[in-house]
Amino acid sequence: MTETKKIKPALSKGTRDFLPAEVAKRNYIFDTIKSVFRKYGFEEIETPAIERLETLTGKYGEEGDKLLFKILNSGDFLKDAPKEELAAGNSQTTLKYIAEKGLRYDLTVPLARYVVQHQDELAFPFKRFHIGPVWRADRPQKGRYQEFYQCDADVIGSTSLLNEVELTQIYVEVFQLLGLKVKIRLNHRNVLTALIRSLDISEGIGESFLPIMDKYDKIGAEGVRKELSNLNVPEAPISMILHIMQEKDLDALSDFFSIAPEQKTGIAEIRFVLDKVNSKNVFFDTSLVRGLNYYTGVIWEVESEDVKIGSIASGGRYDNLTEMFGAQNMPGVGISFGIERIYDVMEELKLFPETISQGVKVLFVPRDEKMEDFTFKQVQALRDAGIPAEIFLGNVKKQKQFKYVEDKKIAYIVEIGENEQQSGKYRLRNTITREMQNDVGLQDIIQLLK
Amino acid sequence: MTETKKIKPALSKGTRDFLPAEVAKRNYIFDTIKSVFRKYGFEEIETPAIERLETLTGKYGEEGDKLLFKILNSGDFLKDAPKEELAAGNSQTTLKYIAEKGLRYDLTVPLARYVVQHQDELAFPFKRFHIGPVWRADRPQKGRYQEFYQCDADVIGSTSLLNEVELTQIYVEVFQLLGLKVKIRLNHRNVLTALIRSLDISEGIGESFLPIMDKYDKIGAEGVRKELSNLNVPEAPISMILHIMQEKDLDALSDFFSIAPEQKTGIAEIRFVLDKVNSKNVFFDTSLVRGLNYYTGVIWEVESEDVKIGSIASGGRYDNLTEMFGAQNMPGVGISFGIERIYDVMEELKLFPETISQGVKVLFVPRDEKMEDFTFKQVQALRDAGIPAEIFLGNVKKQKQFKYVEDKKIAYIVEIGENEQQSGKYRLRNTITREMQNDVGLQDIIQLLK
């Protein structure tokens, strides 16, 4: 700290600090998800925040490339950039000379790199989960940050549909544990492809078709009809599409798809998953599309039943993940929890247990400085018994002490003065119910809090 | 994934991937440390990886500024840079126009910003811990990375020496839990200051003095003698310094410092801490200096008794942390665990429990595809009972299955064929001891693994 130029403390835009109470709540979500991932045999991995730009560029489309955070090369970073490009102020042609590294944009491309790079060290099927921050140079707005967490579980190297069943079951169990009522929607890429093919419309329209269906939730049947009309799709196929999109019955759909028999697998796979999953919250939904076009099989999207905030989890099966790194294709399937939105929904619905805190159970307050020594010994005895406890070493004002127990959600408080020191009997005050227990000894407190 | 240019998968230099087994071991260290932090009332916070360069620059000395990773502004990043500076290829003068953000260099400056920015929201004394990655553009070498974890606990807003006692106790308990034999060395800045003053040597030499003492461990008494001689310190004070540096007895030192009575506080504070801490591994050591000159009170350094790797933890009391952000000075004291080195030491000494894994207890292997359905149901029953379990959906080769249980450290394996399906009785094989238990039912397995 050589220089002490005073500056106003501020965050970089689109980033956040987390207060202890927020971290406790976030950890509650993370720990819940992790416990279910682990129960299903997923193992945690970690990849670095910094990746080579070469690894990241070209994987997220042109728009994505723009949103990558690029890190300046160290030292004299301009030295390799062509002088004429610099003089012309040409950012685009200069970039590759001054930046070789970037911040990861998601956890998926790093996973692909990881699997290819470590394939000889991994046991397949490779079931990994990864929770960590990713970075996007998006314009910050409510609920959208430049640094935010992703939370993914994927199975690489297995085509078994039981993976889809397990992943659906993970959704069911996680949201059940979090107390969140959700709708888990399921579809299959083959169903969508069959739909397009059955329309007998030109390839070009086929490509515009999925994005329009994707908007079904927002723009409704009439909106879809209008947009397809604008693409010159005739009225008859439009009506059929809308009929199918509203059809939730697998058998009826199965009949429809008999005209495209190779696509029946989609229906069969959906049926397989629905049969094995034990939940009323899982639905087949032909209108579910998922923007990303690398999905090849079952796709998921999860929404809160109570808060309109868009999808709070999503996923799908894909085939070409590892291809981008020149490796043999490995089948993969994965799900993702939108933990930032899940947090917001739980906050709005007040679903976090009242008792969530970071753990201190009792605060001992010495009445004056002379009492500190004795108080400290009592607190150490509790800690030795494994009980998180604290001695208050701050401001003597009752108000400050009150803020302290309130902020840290400490359930009990004990004041220590000369009487208490002599008698070894304390008054234990419950800070929530305000109830008092008089004349309790240290062993009683240990028994109570253990 | 619009483009699929094939590139060789590679890490950015100085960064690492972590395999599941490594993450399990790292989590073992993190969880151990966190549990002790929490027991002592420290709460976890989080700050973003990205900070404004204005927040970071000038806090780590000129050398530190060079090691900051700077993030290119988004979009047309050259647009505000003066054309003549660009044309001249002047990186230094261009920097501020093209980069406003950087990656955090440590967790301490972000803590200072956080405390000042959120002071009205925090309860003081503010006891926080923070574990997370930091980034430095250092030349990578064995054991030194560009992205690595720091692990800090600090108390802000309390001058009580009991904080020092608690922090020392945290060191003792964490290393005890990790099974690591350590030497926890303690000194006080006032002792060092008294030493310099008592020498009656010029100010300039005083400043060179601490770095020389800091090397005592490496260059020994003779080395220190030589370097001080080179600074023209006379023989008599050199001998006295060396005498004092070897003096571990507080009373003897106390006598010595009677010539500088205002410095006696240093000795008194050390004595206070040593008296209250319950461990034979804590030592007073006058030769402990700690490079950072913002420390103002007790300082710590911890070394492994068995592996020579330098300090694996360190800390101290400081006064001017928040001043850099224009805030009223708040007293602070903190400790830091060098978790990357702790990992290396534990690995070298084989201190990680053999059983560390990410949790799956039993693998059920269907003998063929027909058995998958039944097997899946058994596995779900175990999971419903809270037992992490898996159905193997991979390659049928025994060798692959063996690698799977070995890599994931799964303790039990059960094969399911038609006989097992009909009888409901299984053979449970312990993959470590190779012992078998025949004819056990699902309920027996649940009881055993619970």
Side-chain angles (χ1 to χ4, degrees):
Chain A
M1 316 238 168
T2 41
E3 202 182 300
T4 51
K5 202 180 91 184
K6 286 174 189 173
I7 51 149
K8 207 176 158 294
L11 286 160
S12 178
K13 69 169 183 186
T15 69
R16 292 166 292 172
D17 284 330
F18 296 106
L19 293 171
E22 292 169 320
V23 172
K25 289 176 184 169
R26 288 170 68 87
N27 282 345
Y28 175 75
I29 298 176
F30 293 147
D31 291 345
T32 301
I33 297 176
K34 283 181 188 178
S35 72
V36 179
F37 283 166
R38 292 220 168 89
K39 206 170 80 172
Y40 279 82
F42 288 80
E43 297 188 305
E44 189 171 7
I45 68 159
E46 211 179 308
T47 67
I50 295 178
E51 293 274 0
R52 297 156 65 114
L53 274 180
E54 176 176 272
T55 300
L56 302 173
T57 310
K59 307 300 190 302
Y60 307 104
E62 218 174 295
E63 209 42 49
D65 282 354
K66 281 188 201 150
L67 298 184
L68 291 173
F69 278 116
K70 289 120 190 155
I71 295 170
L72 262 182
N73 292 343
S74 299
D76 184 8
F77 50 85
L78 291 182
K79 73 175 192 296
D80 296 327
K83 287 279 184 294
E84 41 315 345
E85 299 297 339
L86 281 175
N90 193 333
S91 299
Q92 221 177 336
T93 53
T94 309
L95 178 62
K96 68 177 171 210
Y97 299 101
I98 68 174
E100 285 171 0
K101 292 179 284 286
L103 293 176
R104 67 181 175 216
Y105 178 92
D106 67 7
L107 303 176
T108 306
V109 168
L111 170 65
R113 180 193 55 67
Y114 182 100
V115 168
V116 175
Q117 204 172 326
H118 301 286
Q119 53 190 313
D120 296 336
E121 302 159 82
L122 301 175
F124 288 95
F126 179 53
K127 294 165 78 173
R128 85 86 174 83
F129 74 88
H130 189 177
I131 299 177
V134 301
W135 293 266
R136 295 182 187 178
D138 246 322
R139 192 182 302 272
Q141 58 185 56
K142 192 184 171 312
R144 192 202 282 165
Y145 306 101
Q146 295 199 335
E147 176 172 337
F148 60 97
Y149 271 64
Q150 286 195 338
C151 170
D152 295 0
D154 289 80
V155 185
I156 309 291
S158 167
T159 53
S160 170
L161 263 183
L162 283 174
N163 293 301
E164 274 83 340
V165 176
E166 294 196 342
L167 291 169
T168 312
Q169 200 65 40
I170 287 175
Y171 273 145
V172 172
E173 291 186 30
V174 163
F175 289 114
Q176 207 160 32
L177 286 170
L178 293 177
L180 218 66
K181 286 196 199 109
V182 293
K183 224 177 175 143
I184 301 166
R185 295 154 66 213
L186 216 76
N187 197 4
H188 195 292
R189 267 297 152 102
N190 284 3
V191 172
L192 295 167
T193 315
L195 206 53
I196 297 171
R197 290 213 188 139
S198 68
L199 294 177
D200 199 23
I201 48 181
S202 72
E203 196 63 22
I205 293 175
E207 265 171 38
S208 319
F209 177 75
L210 288 184
I212 293 172
M213 282 192 68
D214 203 16
K215 289 192 281 184
Y216 183 85
D217 268 3
K218 276 189 201 143
I219 62 178
E222 275 323 293
V224 169
R225 183 182 297 275
K226 202 167 150 194
E227 294 212 14
L228 289 177
S229 281
N230 291 345
L231 288 175
N232 295 320
V233 178
E235 180 52 32
I238 292 181
S239 291
M240 191 189 280
I241 290 166
L242 287 173
H243 169 74
I244 292 169
M245 285 174 79
Q246 286 151 9
E247 181 61 72
K248 308 291 178 195
D249 182 65
L250 280 168
D251 292 323
L253 271 174
S254 202
D255 288 346
F256 168 77
F257 285 118
S258 61
I259 56 168
E262 81 281 18
Q263 304 299 345
K264 274 199 167 173
T265 52
I267 300 287
E269 292 192 15
I270 293 279
R271 201 191 299 271
F272 182 90
V273 175
L274 289 178
D275 279 355
K276 295 227 161 11
V277 167
N278 179 22
S279 167
K280 291 173 302 182
N281 307 322
V282 184
F283 305 90
F284 172 54
D285 184 349
T286 20
S287 73
L288 171 64
V289 177
R290 300 283 309 129
L292 294 168
N293 55 20
Y294 63 76
Y295 288 124
T296 54
V298 166
I299 49 182
W300 291 270
E301 215 163 272
V302 183
E303 278 128 48
S304 160
E305 292 240 33
D306 300 306
V307 181
K308 269 213 178 322
I309 198 174
S311 90
I312 57 173
S314 62
R317 179 171 279 281
Y318 46 84
D319 281 332
N320 53 358
L321 182 74
T322 51
E323 196 188 38
M324 62 180 109
F325 294 102
Q328 184 198 339
N329 263 337
M330 287 188 234
V333 56
I335 58 173
S336 183
F337 287 87
I339 77 103
E340 310 283 357
R341 281 185 180 178
I342 291 172
Y343 184 98
D344 290 344
V345 172
M346 292 189 59
E347 197 69 311
E348 190 172 331
L349 299 175
K350 300 197 194 313
L351 291 178
F352 289 110
E354 256 307 307
T355 52
I356 282 188
S357 78
Q358 297 215 17
V360 171
K361 298 214 172 139
V362 56
L363 180 72
F364 276 65
V365 182
R367 284 228 176 82
D368 55 44
E369 229 175 276
K370 274 186 313 195
M371 286 298 119
E372 281 189 0
D373 230 55
F374 175 77
T375 308
F376 178 72
K377 280 189 192 124
Q378 310 312 301
V379 171
Q380 279 304 105
L382 286 172
R383 288 170 176 160
D384 287 346
I387 296 165
E390 265 194 276
I391 171 171
F392 185 70
L393 298 171
N395 197 303
V396 291
K397 284 186 195 146
K398 285 263 185 259
Q399 203 187 339
K400 297 276 181 187
Q401 293 171 14
F402 187 72
K403 178 174 168 47
Y404 197 82
V405 293
E406 196 181 50
D407 272 28
K408 295 183 93 162
K409 298 203 175 176
I410 301 173
Y412 293 97
I413 193 166
V414 174
E415 278 183 53
I416 303 280
E418 274 181 35
N419 286 344
E420 284 80 3
Q421 179 178 15
Q422 273 161 28
S423 67
K425 295 288 180 193
Y426 312 119
R427 168 182 289 181
L428 187 67
R429 190 163 11 131
N430 187 314
T431 62
I432 299 154
T433 64
R434 310 261 154 203
E435 278 174 297
M436 309 265 196
Q437 277 179 271
N438 289 317
D439 295 325
V440 292
L442 199 65
Q443 287 312 314
D444 304 323
I445 297 178
I446 289 174
Q447 284 313 314
L448 179 78
L449 299 183
K450 220 166 180 171
Chain B
M1 316 239 168
T2 41
E3 203 182 299
T4 51
K5 204 180 89 184
K6 284 174 188 174
I7 52 152
K8 206 175 158 295
L11 285 160
S12 177
K13 70 169 182 184
T15 69
R16 292 166 292 173
D17 283 330
F18 295 106
L19 294 171
E22 292 168 320
V23 172
K25 288 175 184 168
R26 288 169 68 87
N27 282 345
Y28 175 75
I29 298 176
F30 294 147
D31 291 346
T32 302
I33 296 175
K34 282 181 189 178
S35 72
V36 180
F37 282 166
R38 292 220 170 89
K39 207 170 80 174
Y40 279 81
F42 288 80
E43 297 188 304
E44 190 172 6
I45 68 160
E46 212 180 308
T47 67
I50 295 179
E51 292 274 0
R52 296 155 65 114
L53 274 179
E54 173 177 276
T55 300
L56 302 172
T57 310
K59 308 301 190 303
Y60 307 104
E62 218 173 295
E63 209 42 50
D65 282 353
K66 282 188 202 148
L67 300 184
L68 291 173
F69 278 116
K70 289 121 191 152
I71 296 170
L72 261 182
N73 293 344
S74 299
D76 183 8
F77 50 86
L78 291 181
K79 73 175 190 296
D80 296 327
K83 287 278 184 295
E84 43 311 348
E85 299 298 340
L86 281 175
N90 192 332
S91 299
Q92 223 177 335
T93 53
T94 310
L95 178 62
K96 67 176 169 208
Y97 299 101
I98 69 174
E100 284 170 1
K101 292 180 283 285
L103 293 176
R104 67 182 175 214
Y105 178 93
D106 67 8
L107 303 177
T108 307
V109 168
L111 170 64
R113 180 193 54 67
Y114 182 100
V115 168
V116 175
Q117 204 173 325
H118 301 285
Q119 52 189 313
D120 297 335
E121 300 160 84
L122 302 174
F124 289 94
F126 179 52
K127 294 165 78 173
R128 85 86 173 83
F129 76 87
H130 190 177
I131 299 177
V134 301
W135 293 266
R136 295 182 187 177
D138 245 323
R139 192 181 301 273
Q141 56 185 56
K142 193 184 171 307
R144 191 202 281 165
Y145 307 101
Q146 295 199 334
E147 176 172 336
F148 61 97
Y149 270 65
Q150 286 195 338
C151 170
D152 296 1
D154 289 80
V155 185
I156 309 291
S158 168
T159 53
S160 170
L161 263 183
L162 282 173
N163 293 300
E164 274 84 339
V165 176
E166 294 195 342
L167 291 168
T168 312
Q169 199 67 38
I170 288 175
Y171 273 145
V172 171
E173 292 184 30
V174 164
F175 288 116
Q176 208 160 32
L177 286 170
L178 292 176
L180 218 66
K181 287 197 198 108
V182 294
K183 227 179 172 139
I184 301 165
R185 294 156 65 214
L186 214 78
N187 198 4
H188 195 291
R189 266 298 153 100
N190 284 2
V191 172
L192 296 166
T193 315
L195 207 56
I196 296 171
R197 290 212 189 140
S198 70
L199 294 176
D200 200 23
I201 49 183
S202 72
E203 196 63 20
I205 293 176
E207 268 172 38
S208 319
F209 175 75
L210 287 184
I212 293 172
M213 282 191 68
D214 204 16
K215 290 192 282 186
Y216 182 85
D217 268 4
K218 275 191 202 145
I219 62 178
E222 274 324 293
V224 169
R225 182 184 296 277
K226 203 167 149 193
E227 294 213 13
L228 289 176
S229 280
N230 291 345
L231 290 175
N232 295 321
V233 178
E235 182 51 31
I238 293 181
S239 292
M240 192 190 277
I241 290 166
L242 288 173
H243 169 73
I244 292 168
M245 286 175 78
Q246 287 150 11
E247 181 61 71
K248 308 291 176 196
D249 183 66
L250 279 169
D251 292 323
L253 270 174
S254 203
D255 288 347
F256 168 76
F257 284 118
S258 61
I259 57 168
E262 81 280 16
Q263 304 299 345
K264 273 198 166 174
T265 52
I267 300 287
E269 292 193 12
I270 294 279
R271 201 192 298 270
F272 182 90
V273 175
L274 288 178
D275 279 355
K276 295 228 162 8
V277 168
N278 180 21
S279 167
K280 288 173 304 183
N281 306 322
V282 184
F283 305 90
F284 172 53
D285 185 349
T286 20
S287 73
L288 170 64
V289 175
R290 300 283 307 130
L292 294 168
N293 55 20
Y294 64 74
Y295 289 124
T296 54
V298 166
I299 49 180
W300 291 269
E301 215 164 273
V302 183
E303 277 129 48
S304 159
E305 291 238 34
D306 301 305
V307 181
K308 268 211 180 322
I309 198 175
S311 90
I312 56 173
S314 62
R317 180 171 278 281
Y318 46 84
D319 282 332
N320 54 358
L321 181 73
T322 50
E323 197 187 39
M324 61 178 107
F325 294 102
Q328 186 198 338
N329 263 336
M330 287 188 234
V333 57
I335 58 173
S336 182
F337 287 86
I339 79 103
E340 310 283 357
R341 282 185 178 176
I342 290 171
Y343 184 98
D344 289 345
V345 171
M346 291 188 62
E347 197 68 312
E348 189 171 331
L349 299 174
K350 300 198 195 311
L351 290 179
F352 288 110
E354 257 306 307
T355 51
I356 282 187
S357 78
Q358 298 214 16
V360 171
K361 298 213 170 141
V362 58
L363 181 73
F364 276 64
V365 182
R367 284 228 175 81
D368 55 45
E369 229 175 278
K370 275 187 311 197
M371 287 297 120
E372 281 189 1
D373 231 54
F374 176 77
T375 308
F376 178 72
K377 282 190 192 123
Q378 310 312 301
V379 170
Q380 278 305 104
L382 286 171
R383 288 170 176 160
D384 287 345
I387 296 165
E390 266 193 275
I391 170 170
F392 186 71
L393 298 171
N395 197 301
V396 293
K397 284 186 195 147
K398 284 263 187 261
Q399 204 186 338
K400 297 276 181 186
Q401 294 172 13
F402 188 71
K403 179 175 167 46
Y404 197 83
V405 293
E406 196 180 50
D407 271 29
K408 295 183 94 162
K409 298 203 175 179
I410 300 172
Y412 293 97
I413 193 166
V414 174
E415 278 183 53
I416 304 280
E418 275 180 35
N419 286 343
E420 284 81 2
Q421 180 178 15
Q422 274 160 28
S423 67
K425 296 286 180 192
Y426 312 119
R427 170 181 287 183
L428 187 68
R429 190 162 11 130
N430 186 315
T431 62
I432 298 153
T433 63
R434 311 260 153 202
E435 279 172 297
M436 310 265 198
Q437 278 178 269
N438 290 317
D439 296 326
V440 292
L442 199 66
Q443 288 311 315
D444 304 324
I445 297 178
I446 289 174
Q447 285 313 314
L448 180 78
L449 299 183
K450 218 161 182 178

